[in-house]
Amino acid sequence: MRALRVDGLTELPAPAGDGEALVRVVLSGICTTDLELAKGYLGFRGTLGHEFVGVVEEGDLAGTRVVGEINAGCGSCGRCAAGDSRHCATRTVLGIVDRDGAHADYLRLPACNLIPVPATVSDVAAVFVEPLAAALAVLERCPIAPGQRVCVIGDGKLGLLIAMVLRDHAPVLVGKHPHKLALAGVESTLLDDAVTLGRVFDVVIEASGSATGFELALALLVPQGRLVLKSTFHGTTPIDAARIVVEEVTVIGSRCGRFAPALALLETGGIAIGPLVSETLSLGDGERAMQLAAEPGMLKVLLAR
Amino acid sequence: MRALRVDGLTELPAPAGDGEALVRVVLSGICTTDLELAKGYLGFRGTLGHEFVGVVEEGDLAGTRVVGEINAGCGSCGRCAAGDSRHCATRTVLGIVDRDGAHADYLRLPACNLIPVPATVSDVAAVFVEPLAAALAVLERCPIAPGQRVCVIGDGKLGLLIAMVLRDHAPVLVGKHPHKLALAGVESTLLDDAVTLGRVFDVVIEASGSATGFELALALLVPQGRLVLKSTFHGTTPIDAARIVVEEVTVIGSRCGRFAPALALLETGGIAIGPLVSETLSLGDGERAMQLAAEPGMLKVLLAR
C-alpha cells in the first residue's frame, strides 16, 4: 500500500494484525502537527496523519464507516481504567507517537478507538472530527462563564474551529488573513491591530503556534485571566515568566478532545466545515499536498484515496 | 532620613503627607525582588524594600506596631471595591511600583493597608509576614487535595516558607544547599538528583526563579498536573510550550498573599522564623547588606534602625 511518511511517499505492506481493527482509509486531513513532525517534532519517523474517515475491513464492525480516537492506551493503567487513554504513559498516538498514521491506504487501531459515523455526516465533515474535538477540548479544560470576554488568537484551521465552537461566548478572533477571519462568523481583528483591543479578556486561546501569539495573549488578558495554549510546535518559546506571576495568569495546556461530542456537533450541522477545505489531492500526490499545506493562507488540505 | 535606593544609600526628607499614615520603620527585610529591582527589573528607581515592621507616628494608630499590605489600590475600581487591591490597575506597590519602600527610616502607606502586630509576634517574625503571606497564596491560587503529591523547587527564603506552609501535604523540597534544605522540616532532595524523583507530582511549586527550575518542574509533573510559578525575575525564560500542551499542564502564576492569615499563623508559633535569618545589619550598612543578600547560600538579611 501507499504511505506518506516523514521522509516521503513510499510503498509498504498493509499493517499487520495483532488483534487491532484494519481500516481502509477513505479520506485524511493534513494537520499542522504533520508539518511539525516532518520538521523533526517528537522525533517521529513513521507514517503521518491522524485525521481520517475510513471503512472497517474485517471483524464485528466490518463495512462500517468510522473515525478513530488517536490515543491508543495500554488499557490497564489508572488513566485507561478511568476511560481516558489520552494521558496513558505508554500510549501510542496515531501518526504521532510509535504508531503509523492515516495518510496511507490502510491503518490499524484498537476496535475500542473506533466510532461509527452517522450517515448524515459527510466524509469531509468526518475528517474534521479530530480537530473539532480538539477545539471543544478548550471548554473541557477551561469552562467559560456567561459574560466572560474571550479572544482566540490564530486564524488557522484550529483557531477557526475554536472560534466557531465558542460562538455563543462572542469571541474576538485575531489573525493575519481577512479571508480566513471571515469564515468563523464572529467579530475579528487583524493581528497588527490586536494590541489595541486592550487588557480586557478573561480568557485568551492561543492557537497561532507562535511566540508572538503567546506574548500578545499576555497583553490582552485581565489580571488573573486564563490563557489556553492549543498549538504544539517544535522548539522553545521565550516567555516573560514574571508577567505570569505578577498578573497571576493561569496558562492551561489543552490537547486532544473527545470524539463523541464532536460527532454530535457535526450531526447538528452547526459547524460549516466546507469553507475550511482549501484543496483535495490524491494520496499519490501526498508530498505535494504537504508542501501546499505549508503555504501561507492555506486551510485544510485533504488526501483522497 | 536615610533611604536605600536602587542606586545606593542616600539622605532624603521624610516622605510627605497627603493623608497617608507615617510609619517609623523598626526592621526591614531584603527580598530577592529587591536584588532584581536593583538590576533593572520593572524599571523602578525609588527606595527599595517591602518587608517591614514599624510604629505608626501619628493619627488614630499612633504608637501601634504594624505591618503593611504592600499594594495600595485606587480604592474605587471593581478590584478595590471587592476588597482586593492586589490587581488594581493603577495601584502602587511599596518599594516596587511608583512608591518609595521600607529600607528607610520612615515610609508612608494608606492607613487601611496597616495591620497591628500582636504582642506575641516578635519584630523579626513580623518582617516575615509579607513573604509568609506570599507562601500562603499558593493555596489561594492552587488548592491541594489530601493525597496529592507536592514538590517545592527552590531552597531560598520563599521556597522554605512554602515548604513549611505546605508541611501537612508532605512536600518534597528540592534545592542546592543541604544546610537550607534541613530548615524546612520536610523531605528533601538535592537539585542534581531531583529528576530521579520521576513524573509523580500532582503539584510542583517553582520558587527557584530559574529557567532550570521551570524545566525541572515540567519533568516532575504528572499529566494534567499543576505548576505554580512564584518567582519574579528579570528577562525571558525559554519554555517548551509544546510540553505544556501535550501534557496538558496548568501553569499558575501566584504573587502576593493576604496578611491576616499570615499573622495568625505566626501567632500560633507554627513557623520557625529564626533559622531563616542569616544576618542583621544596620540601615547605614544597607549597600553592604544588599551585596551580602546576593551571596549564594545566604538566607534573609535584615536591616535594623
Side-chain angles (χ1 to χ4, degrees), chain B:
Chain B
M1 68 167 193
R2 299 164 299 175
L4 180 63
R5 294 172 76 83
V6 166
D7 45 11
L9 192 69
T10 187
E11 277 292 324
L12 286 180
D18 81 346
E20 295 187 339
L22 183 68
V23 177
R24 176 172 54 79
V25 181
V26 173
L27 194 64
S28 59
I30 297 177
C31 172
T32 306
T33 301
D34 299 345
L35 305 177
E36 292 291 317
L37 291 165
K39 284 190 257 176
Y41 173 57
L42 294 179
F44 180 68
R45 304 297 311 152
T47 302
L48 294 165
H50 55 273
E51 304 172 358
F52 76 95
V53 59
V55 176
V56 181
E57 286 284 290
E58 55 193 21
D60 292 348
L61 282 170
T64 308
R65 196 167 61 118
V66 295
V67 290
E69 300 255 12
I70 71 176
N71 296 280
C74 67
S76 56
C77 70
R79 298 270 178 176
C80 287
D84 190 355
S85 61
R86 289 175 293 180
H87 288 290
C88 166
T90 58
R91 73 187 179 281
T92 59
V93 187
L94 186 71
I96 298 175
V97 180
D98 290 340
R99 176 179 285 274
D100 281 334
H103 299 326
D105 286 310
Y106 295 91
L107 62 81
R108 281 199 187 264
L109 270 176
C112 63
N113 280 49
L114 302 179
I115 304 176
V117 178
T120 52
V121 175
S122 71
D123 285 345
V124 170
V127 171
F128 278 84
V129 168
E130 196 278 338
L132 185 60
L136 285 167
V138 167
L139 289 167
E140 194 181 333
R141 291 273 297 155
C142 179
I144 299 173
Q148 290 198 304
R149 295 190 67 180
V150 180
C151 177
V152 179
I153 300 175
D155 58 6
K157 304 171 284 291
L158 187 55
L160 290 171
L161 286 171
I162 293 168
M164 289 172 174
V165 159
L166 298 181
R167 203 174 286 157
D168 289 350
H169 295 281
V172 176
L173 177 63
V174 172
K176 289 181 181 172
H177 311 90
H179 73 283
K180 292 187 184 181
L181 292 171
L183 298 176
V186 302
E187 190 184 333
S188 67
T189 301
L190 284 170
L191 184 63
D192 288 344
D193 305 326
V195 81
T196 63
L197 293 168
R199 208 174 273 289
V200 297
F201 295 98
D202 301 290
V203 175
V204 177
I205 297 126
E206 203 311 285
S208 78
S210 77
T212 324
F214 194 101
E215 199 181 313
L216 173 62
L218 289 179
L220 296 179
L221 276 175
V222 299
Q224 298 186 322
R226 290 176 294 166
L227 194 178
V228 182
L229 283 189
K230 282 303 297 183
S231 313
T232 49
F233 45 100
H234 195 38
T236 59
T237 307
I239 284 175
D240 183 355
R243 186 73 170 262
I244 295 173
V245 174
V246 171
E247 300 290 337
E248 295 196 308
V249 169
T250 301
V251 181
I252 302 170
S254 165
R255 187 172 46 104
C256 295
R258 294 179 183 278
F259 274 35
L263 257 181
L265 183 55
L266 287 171
E267 261 196 287
T268 68
I271 301 284
I273 293 299
L276 299 180
V277 177
S278 291
E279 301 275 351
T280 303
L281 282 76
S282 80
L283 176 58
D285 287 328
E287 295 181 16
R288 190 160 67 87
M290 287 283 284
Q291 289 165 359
L292 267 180
E295 285 183 8
M298 195 62 58
L299 284 167
K300 185 64 74 188
V301 176
L302 298 176
L303 289 173
R305 302 302 179 275

Side-chain angles (χ1 to χ4, degrees), chain A residues 5-293:
Chain A
R5 295 172 75 83
V6 166
D7 45 11
L9 191 70
T10 188
E11 277 291 325
L12 287 181
D18 82 346
E20 295 188 337
L22 182 68
V23 177
R24 177 172 54 81
V25 181
V26 172
L27 194 64
S28 59
I30 296 178
C31 172
T32 306
T33 301
D34 299 344
L35 306 177
E36 292 291 318
L37 291 166
K39 284 191 259 178
Y41 174 58
L42 294 180
F44 180 68
R45 304 298 309 153
T47 302
L48 294 165
H50 55 275
E51 304 172 358
F52 76 94
V53 59
V55 176
V56 181
E57 286 284 289
E58 55 193 21
D60 291 348
L61 282 170
T64 308
R65 196 166 61 119
V66 294
V67 290
E69 300 255 13
I70 71 176
N71 295 280
C74 69
S76 56
C77 71
R79 299 271 177 175
C80 288
D84 190 355
S85 61
R86 290 175 293 180
H87 288 291
C88 166
T90 58
R91 74 188 179 280
T92 58
V93 187
L94 186 71
I96 298 176
V97 179
D98 290 340
R99 174 179 287 273
D100 282 334
H103 299 325
D105 287 308
Y106 295 92
L107 63 80
R108 283 197 185 265
L109 270 176
C112 61
N113 280 49
L114 302 179
I115 305 176
V117 178
T120 52
V121 175
S122 70
D123 285 345
V124 169
V127 171
F128 278 82
V129 168
E130 197 279 334
L132 185 60
L136 285 167
V138 167
L139 290 167
E140 192 181 335
R141 291 274 297 155
C142 179
I144 300 173
Q148 291 199 303
R149 294 191 66 180
V150 179
C151 178
V152 179
I153 301 176
D155 58 7
K157 305 169 286 289
L158 186 56
L160 290 171
L161 286 171
I162 293 168
M164 290 172 174
V165 158
L166 299 181
R167 202 175 286 157
D168 289 348
H169 295 282
V172 177
L173 177 63
V174 172
K176 290 182 180 172
H177 312 90
H179 72 283
K180 291 186 184 181
L181 292 171
L183 298 177
V186 303
E187 189 183 335
S188 67
T189 301
L190 284 169
L191 183 63
D192 287 344
D193 305 326
V195 81
T196 64
L197 293 168
R199 207 174 275 288
V200 297
F201 294 98
D202 301 291
V203 175
V204 177
I205 297 127
E206 203 310 286
S208 78
S210 77
T212 324
F214 194 101
E215 199 181 313
L216 174 62
L218 288 179
L220 296 179
L221 276 175
V222 299
Q224 299 187 322
R226 289 175 295 166
L227 194 179
V228 182
L229 283 189
K230 282 303 296 184
S231 314
T232 49
F233 44 100
H234 195 40
T236 60
T237 307
I239 285 175
D240 184 355
R243 186 75 169 259
I244 295 173
V245 174
V246 171
E247 300 290 336
E248 295 197 307
V249 169
T250 301
V251 180
I252 302 170
S254 166
R255 188 171 45 104
C256 295
R258 293 181 183 276
F259 274 35
L263 257 182
L265 183 55
L266 287 171
E267 262 196 288
T268 68
I271 301 285
I273 292 299
L276 298 180
V277 178
S278 291
E279 302 274 353
T280 303
L281 283 77
S282 80
L283 176 59
D285 287 328
E287 294 181 17
R288 191 160 67 85
M290 287 283 284
Q291 288 165 2
L292 267 179

